[in-house]
Amino acid sequence: MQQILYSSYASSVIKAVLLARLIDDTQLKNKAQEDDILFSFPQIDADSISSKDIYHKYRQQFGEIQWLKDTNFSFFKQQINMAFRHSKPDKYILIESVLKESLDNSLQFVLAKATDFGRKFYNYYNSVASDVHANKGFCRLQPMESDLLIGKINTEHNTGDLILRYFIQRFPKHKIALIDKRKNLAFFFDLEQFSIARPDNLEKASTIMLENDIYTQYWHTYFETQYIPEKKNTKLALKHFPQKRWNDMFEADFLKKHLE
Amino acid sequence: MEITEKLKILGNAAKYDICASTATNKKHHISGGIGNTFQHTICHSFTPDGRCVNLLKVLMSNECQGDCFYCPSRSTMDIPRTSFTPEELSKLFIEFYKRNFVEGLFLSSGIKFNTSQTMEDMLKACEIIRYRYQYNGYIHMKILPNSPYSYVERACQLANRVSINAEVPSQEHMGKISKSKHWEKDILQRMDWIKNLSDKKDSKNISQSTQFIVGAASENDSSIIQSMNRLYKTYSLTRTYFSTFVPIKDTPLENQPAAEPTREGKLYQADFLLRIYKFKASDFVFNTNGNLPSDIDVKLAVSLNNLQNFPKEVNTCSYSELLKIPGIGPLTAQRIVTLRRNNIKIESLAQLKKIGAQIKNAQFFLTINGRLQGNITFLISKIELERERKHYKQLTLF
Ligand code: SF4
């Protein structure tokens, strides 16, 4: 048996799945996965072979893959790239299965969530996308000296760098540091370079944020004015703003008070 | 007055203005500036009423010469009055934005001395934000009724979205909430200017929305839907918002009952059906009082009233016909059509459910490969039974 290795991005896993069809007796393995078997097998690195060659050979043996030209293909690749960031380790086998299903049936079948794998794959993609989306909104930044913005994020999946990238675009003249307490990681951009660190004292790093910032106090005042008590609907509030997103936020404390 | 006090007064006075959308196609490009916009909305927090707070939504001033009968800021009210200066407001906003409290600014105002002067202050604040702070993000600016053309034009340049509240469905209804505002002259004419400005090539996709106050002018849902439909068609509005009337003490409408809380939600459903599902205003079904039925889904009510158009065959009917089936939304309809184009047929209700349909209602209005999936008389008797049960429950309460 041979192992086909691939990286955690769409074009790599697609090549690996096609290769697995072209070569008998193979096993797929993501490069980030730990070895769980005692034997070592000969390995083929999908990244070392060009897509053109693999597609060409596949076409000769099995015919055209229509969906590679489909308008939905680039969206599908985006979904794969996001699903790779999911925290559950079964994402690898899921992505491989979804690709095999697309080859056997049709990409549309998978994208329409008409199969169990397609549905689970969509849920993984959606969970990662929601994680990014929620952190874009719920992360609070604190302006510091030397044009530094420092903030706390609370990610469920491997999305810290995507969130940092979002803030880099939004504040192109600021250095940005995002601290993820849950993952014990700090993401940093110094206007030139991007780095990830495991700070020795994350607790200290996250308390650098000033407690007595006047604009934060103004925000609290403003936020309270926006509540309409006659329309109280905490069930709806919790649906959009679930407890897992509460990130030492004043807004969460305010909601909590009204739940009692 | 301290900023904190001003925020309390001017934030509180703006909270009934509904608009949480920050989705926009219009981009401002000041190179190296801060902020950006997207085609989707990002929420930054939620209040216990379940509404998203993602904009600094304030009045420039709550001083007002206006007489709107429902409004807590009307000139005769004995309340603390204050105004932001353009400097104060712009600084406050940009500091909120940097802290990622908000996604943009929503700026409205009472009419301080006169419309022009108030609009000037609002425009000045937006100019500081755009040019001094080099802000490329989202701004929604209210156009005050009776604003001069040049101010409307400037607002369209500075903002991503502008809006003027229709408030009521017609001039006749306007007479019930204000003596000084003229519906056609003060409001519709400005909508027309905005539409013409947005049609210009250099307008960079400015969008326009409006808001109705539900229940303030004894209007019914039917009149709101007719009016909303007209506004969409004539002025190419992007969205309509609804705000339920709540009587405020010491206003001329203090003794008028608050609007039924369910009306707002039903009107939003009707709005979606008009805009996204391409229903016609004449499709809707109303109770004898002209309101949408409160105990049944709006789309389901329309379908039950047009049973001659059902069942539809999921594997052959068009995208727009699929949209008419209760329980099938645009995404599911699109999936069905795409599968069909790839020679994949729907074979069962379970499959339809997997791709996103809500089969609880949908099953009664469709066939799959010619096979009926539910008995419509069963659904009708279930609804009637539920109505009788509610009626009985109400009777036993008295
Ligand atoms: S114009 Fe009418 S609605 Fe607007 S603040 Fe004045 S009184 Fe209120």
Side-chain angles (χ1 to χ4, degrees):
Chain A
M1 188 167 76
Q2 296 186 81
Q3 263 186 344
I4 301 176
L5 300 179
Y6 64 88
S7 309
S8 295
Y9 50 88
S11 53
S12 180
V13 66
I14 293 172
K15 282 196 289 185
V17 171
L18 296 182
L19 267 177
R21 294 237 155 155
L22 290 166
I23 307 167
D24 286 339
D25 197 19
T26 51
Q27 187 198 47
L28 291 164
K29 187 169 176 286
N30 184 280
K31 289 179 186 174
Q33 270 173 304
E34 298 280 320
D35 272 324
D36 51 1
I37 38 178
L38 295 172
F39 310 105
S40 62
F41 296 106
Q43 295 179 326
I44 306 170
D45 186 348
D47 296 335
S48 66
I49 311 173
S50 83
S51 310
K52 222 172 130 192
D53 287 348
I54 298 177
Y55 290 161
H56 179 69
K57 287 216 176 80
Y58 191 91
R59 214 177 296 130
Q60 280 183 329
Q61 206 166 322
F62 300 102
E64 197 74 59
I65 311 168
Q66 287 304 334
W67 50 260
L68 288 179
K69 294 176 196 142
D70 200 301
T71 45
N72 280 323
F73 181 51
S74 67
F75 177 54
F76 183 46
K77 283 204 290 191
Q78 244 181 59
Q79 286 186 319
I80 294 175
N81 288 333
M82 290 296 257
F84 269 129
R85 292 170 174 273
H86 200 281
S87 55
K88 288 204 177 147
D90 67 349
K91 64 193 169 190
Y92 301 118
I93 189 102
L94 177 66
I95 293 168
E96 292 162 17
S97 307
V98 150
L99 277 163
K100 286 175 193 163
E101 212 162 43
S102 305
L103 292 171
D104 292 337
N105 298 307
S106 131
L107 176 61
Q108 301 310 331
F109 211 60
V110 171
L111 288 182
K113 304 194 287 174
T115 67
D116 289 340
F117 283 136
R119 203 172 167 73
K120 191 170 175 188
F121 171 70
Y122 178 81
N123 290 342
Y124 272 38
Y125 151 75
N126 200 32
S127 174
V128 175
S130 307
D131 193 36
V132 177
H133 191 78
N135 275 288
K136 283 177 185 175
F138 299 145
C139 168
R140 298 291 178 256
L141 299 169
Q142 176 66 53
M144 312 290 284
E145 279 172 16
S146 321
D147 287 331
L148 169 69
L149 295 173
I150 180 166
K152 284 188 239 175
I153 52 174
N154 178 12
T155 61
E156 221 179 322
H157 306 294
N158 176 20
T159 51
D161 60 316
L162 293 183
I163 301 157
L164 180 70
R165 210 176 299 164
Y166 164 82
F167 285 117
I168 292 170
Q169 265 186 20
R170 177 156 283 199
F171 302 105
K173 288 188 178 162
H174 286 79
K175 293 173 211 144
I176 297 172
L178 297 179
I179 294 162
D180 192 337
K181 258 165 101 175
R182 199 200 287 201
K183 298 270 169 64
N184 193 28
L185 284 175
F187 299 83
F188 186 60
F189 179 70
D190 66 0
L191 292 179
E192 277 174 15
Q193 274 192 338
F194 163 75
S195 56
I196 304 178
R198 238 175 239 288
D200 299 336
N201 196 341
L202 210 106
E203 202 54 49
K204 195 176 156 205
S206 64
T207 49
I208 294 171
M209 298 173 77
L210 301 175
E211 286 300 323
N212 50 1
D213 172 47
I214 184 75
Y215 289 100
T216 303
Q217 287 166 18
Y218 288 154
W219 168 252
H220 296 174
T221 304
Y222 168 74
F223 181 76
E224 289 188 7
T225 67
Q226 293 304 291
Y227 171 42
I228 304 178
E230 311 93 79
K231 292 191 175 181
K232 183 171 176 175
N233 188 347
T234 46
K235 211 171 140 193
L236 183 66
L238 281 172
K239 186 180 155 203
H240 294 307
F241 189 29
Q243 214 154 341
K244 67 175 179 185
R245 301 283 176 212
W246 296 5
N247 188 17
D248 303 333
M249 292 165 79
F250 164 82
E251 297 85 340
D253 292 341
F254 188 73
L255 176 57
K256 206 155 98 191
K257 247 187 351 212
H258 287 82
L259 290 176
E260 285 149 13
Chain B
M1 197 184 273
E2 291 287 322
I3 296 287
T4 306
E5 284 310 302
K6 289 190 178 187
L7 259 177
K8 269 188 198 160
I9 294 168
L10 298 170
N12 204 45
K15 72 177 167 193
Y16 292 101
D17 255 311
I18 312 289
C19 184
S21 169
T22 52
T24 179
N25 286 326
K26 186 174 173 183
K27 303 255 178 237
H28 285 263
H29 283 298
I30 299 168
S31 151
I34 72 166
N36 47 4
T37 52
F38 298 95
Q39 281 171 316
H40 55 264
T41 296
I42 296 176
C43 288
H44 288 243
S45 51
F46 290 87
T47 51
D49 53 35
R51 292 180 319 137
C52 146
V53 180
N54 58 354
L55 295 163
L56 171 61
K57 191 164 60 175
V58 283
L59 300 188
M60 193 78 208
S61 172
N62 73 335
E63 294 179 44
C64 191
Q65 310 298 319
D67 70 342
C68 305
F69 302 164
Y70 62 86
C71 180
S73 301
R74 66 195 305 268
S75 55
T76 55
M77 296 288 278
D78 182 18
I79 52 164
R81 307 270 180 182
T82 188
S83 308
F84 281 120
T85 64
E87 289 285 344
E88 282 169 348
L89 182 74
S90 49
K91 175 78 178 150
L92 189 64
F93 168 69
I94 215 70
E95 294 298 335
F96 275 12
Y97 191 80
K98 271 192 202 164
R99 285 157 180 77
N100 205 36
F101 292 142
V102 291
E103 193 61 22
L105 173 70
F106 177 103
L107 187 56
S108 184
S109 187
I111 300 160
K112 196 172 173 183
F113 298 116
N114 55 55
T115 309
S116 299
Q117 195 175 331
T118 312
M119 280 295 287
E120 252 169 55
D121 280 350
M122 291 165 76
L123 289 168
K124 218 178 277 171
C126 292
E127 280 175 348
I128 297 174
I129 291 168
R130 284 274 184 240
Y131 301 120
R132 187 190 303 163
Y133 296 121
Q134 308 211 311
Y135 171 70
N136 288 321
Y138 184 84
I139 296 180
H140 179 157
M141 212 181 134
K142 280 273 169 207
I143 303 295
L144 302 181
N146 197 26
S147 292
Y149 180 81
S150 56
Y151 292 12
V152 176
E153 191 179 24
R154 186 67 181 137
C156 287
Q157 288 161 357
L158 292 167
N160 300 76
R161 175 174 287 188
V162 291
S163 61
I164 179 160
N165 288 354
E167 299 183 350
V168 289
S170 68
Q171 174 53 33
E172 191 195 327
H173 291 101
M174 184 56 93
K176 294 186 183 166
I177 63 156
S178 167
K179 276 197 197 122
S180 57
K181 275 189 204 164
H182 195 280
W183 200 65
E184 303 268 347
K185 262 195 347 228
D186 295 340
I187 295 165
L188 296 198
Q189 190 177 43
R190 268 89 204 146
M191 282 189 185
D192 191 46
W193 289 347
I194 297 165
K195 185 200 176 311
N196 291 333
L197 284 161
S198 69
D199 285 345
K200 283 188 181 167
K201 258 200 189 138
D202 59 353
S203 74
K204 296 191 194 139
N205 298 322
I206 181 85
S207 67
Q208 169 173 213
S209 61
T210 195
Q211 182 171 321
F212 285 92
I213 298 153
V214 182
S218 318
E219 80 300 317
N220 56 26
D221 294 345
S222 168
S223 59
I224 291 184
I225 290 172
Q226 298 294 339
S227 179
M228 166 169 78
N229 188 43
R230 175 185 160 200
L231 300 183
Y232 272 132
K233 286 195 169 142
T234 319
Y235 306 114
S236 316
L237 302 187
T238 313
R239 281 283 320 248
T240 303
Y241 294 92
F242 305 98
S243 179
T244 304
F245 163 73
V246 181
I248 308 272
K249 204 169 163 283
D250 297 333
T251 61
L253 299 186
E254 68 173 332
N255 294 322
Q256 188 167 304
E260 275 292 315
T262 51
R263 282 186 66 192
E264 193 180 305
K266 295 284 165 189
L267 282 164
Y268 275 116
Q269 274 188 39
D271 171 56
F272 264 76
L273 292 174
L274 270 181
R275 274 188 305 122
I276 319 272
Y277 292 69
K278 306 295 172 208
F279 276 50
K280 293 195 217 80
S282 55
D283 286 338
F284 293 100
V285 182
F286 301 100
N287 289 335
T288 43
N289 60 9
N291 285 342
L292 293 161
S294 59
D295 59 347
I296 178 174
D297 176 80
V298 178
K299 190 176 174 189
L300 183 60
V302 174
S303 308
L304 286 171
N305 201 44
N306 291 286
L307 282 178
Q308 71 282 2
N309 299 333
F310 297 99
K312 304 269 187 214
E313 168 55 49
V314 262
N315 284 314
T316 53
C317 72
S318 66
Y319 172 78
S320 56
E321 284 177 314
L322 283 168
L323 281 185
K324 297 275 161 27
I325 300 173
I328 293 191
L331 205 61
T332 309
Q334 190 52 56
R335 283 182 185 142
I336 295 171
V337 173
T338 316
L339 285 173
R340 196 187 295 163
R341 256 190 247 130
N342 287 274
N343 299 319
I344 301 167
K345 274 184 163 185
I346 301 295
E347 299 293 348
S348 65
L349 273 183
Q351 209 177 42
L352 207 54
K353 190 178 170 192
K354 266 189 186 168
I355 65 169
Q358 291 181 352
I359 55 166
K360 188 179 137 221
N361 288 332
Q363 59 179 317
F364 300 104
F365 297 91
L366 53 85
T367 57
I368 300 178
N369 297 324
R371 286 190 314 274
L372 271 169
Q373 301 295 313
N375 184 348
I376 195 78
T377 45
F378 169 75
L379 175 68
I380 295 170
S381 37
K382 203 173 116 193
I383 292 168
E384 276 167 4
L385 208 71
E386 183 61 23
R387 276 188 179 151
E388 270 172 35
R389 202 180 57 79
K390 269 192 193 148
H391 183 63
Y392 176 74
K393 212 171 161 189
Q394 265 171 3
L395 286 179
T396 54
L397 282 176
F398 295 105

